[in-house]
Amino acid sequence: MAAKNQGFDTIALHGGYEPDPEVSLGLGQGAPRGIPVHRTTPFVFKNTEHAANLFKLKELGNIYSRLMNPTCNVLESRYAQLEGGHPLSALTVASGTTAIFYSIINLAEKGDNIVSARALYGGTYTMFNDIL
């Protein structure tokens, strides 16, 4: 179902996720209508060649949850569609410090100064003072 044909409410509930009719789960047999929450860290590879291709970025797929996760992919796609963007144009991160890092590296250039408040979370201060 293309997002262009869907309203805001439908995208908010169903955007970025299409149940796989080939999946057979539970007593009712069939894919869940709701988004499955993938609470795993590593993912299974088909074989060593598949794993090598994923790590070399020759194939798109799940390697490790901090890098890519099917649940996060749905959230990113949904937000992007709600904002009128391409389904692959959003990014979710696991911490506020990571969000700040991505914001700064996309806005600032080499030689720019970062002006901030004095009272910062310690990790953010360290990032500003020692990393960026």
Side-chain angles (χ1 to χ4, degrees):
M1 195 181 307
K4 293 177 185 174
N5 300 328
Q6 299 174 347
F8 185 89
D9 294 345
T10 302
I11 294 171
L13 291 173
H14 302 292
Y17 175 68
E18 286 288 328
D20 184 352
E22 301 298 317
V23 172
S24 180
L25 302 171
L27 297 173
Q29 302 299 317
R33 179 62 231 156
I35 304 160
V37 176
H38 297 274
R39 297 179 354 169
T40 185
T41 305
F43 291 88
V44 176
F45 308 119
K46 298 173 190 170
N47 51 45
T48 54
E49 181 182 359
H50 177 238
N53 286 339
L54 289 171
F55 279 96
K56 291 177 185 175
L57 303 177
K58 290 183 176 180
E59 288 183 42
L60 183 63
N62 299 305
I63 299 170
Y64 187 73
S65 282
R66 289 186 183 173
L67 303 174
M68 189 171 174
N69 179 301
T71 307
C72 294
N73 291 347
V74 171
L75 175 64
E76 292 167 349
S77 177
R78 192 167 289 177
Y79 271 116
Q81 291 177 54
L82 287 170
E83 292 293 328
H86 187 280
L88 298 176
S89 64
L91 175 68
T92 56
V93 294
S95 72
T97 302
T98 305
I100 293 167
F101 175 79
Y102 279 120
S103 298
I104 297 297
I105 65 168
N106 279 287
L107 295 173
E109 297 177 5
K110 184 176 181 177
D112 286 354
N113 292 311
I114 300 169
V115 179
S116 68
R118 287 181 183 219
L120 291 176
Y121 167 69
T124 303
Y125 176 84
T126 301
M127 178 175 56
F128 285 173
N129 194 56
D130 301 323
I131 298 171
L132 298 175

